[in-house]
Amino acid sequence: MPQNAAAGRREEGDLSRVQFLTVAEVAATMRVSKMTVYRLVHNGELPAVRVGRSFRVPEEAVHEYLRGSYIDAG
């Protein structure tokens, strides 16, 4: 099952509480380029909803991605 589908099912019970971010907002939050965000979405690493020709990313998915990306530089 694609990661995008799993995220959609997890949140479909209470979509009224989900905060969606634009690709530009995600890029600003992560301090990366918009192209990097598009790559993450297309590779299935970051779930997103397609709205017309653009994508919206659940805010919690960005937080989950960042939490899972921490490395121990120790």
Side-chain angles (χ1 to χ4, degrees):
M1 171 185 313
Q3 186 175 4
N4 291 1
R9 280 197 188 89
R10 191 173 47 233
E11 295 168 348
E12 79 183 18
D14 196 7
L15 284 177
S16 65
R17 294 180 185 257
V18 178
Q19 292 292 315
F20 290 98
L21 302 175
T22 65
V23 168
E25 291 170 331
V26 174
T29 299
M30 296 175 66
R31 296 189 182 213
V32 297
S33 71
K34 290 192 292 186
M35 185 53 68
T36 298
V37 177
Y38 282 117
R39 278 192 211 111
L40 292 171
V41 169
H42 287 292
N43 290 337
E45 296 177 58
L46 191 61
V49 175
R50 188 171 203 125
V51 180
R53 293 180 57 198
S54 45
F55 290 98
R56 295 295 182 267
V57 180
E59 185 176 28
E60 185 56 33
V62 175
H63 296 298
E64 286 178 28
Y65 177 82
L66 291 173
R67 277 191 291 269
S69 297
Y70 276 100
I71 60 167
D72 185 11

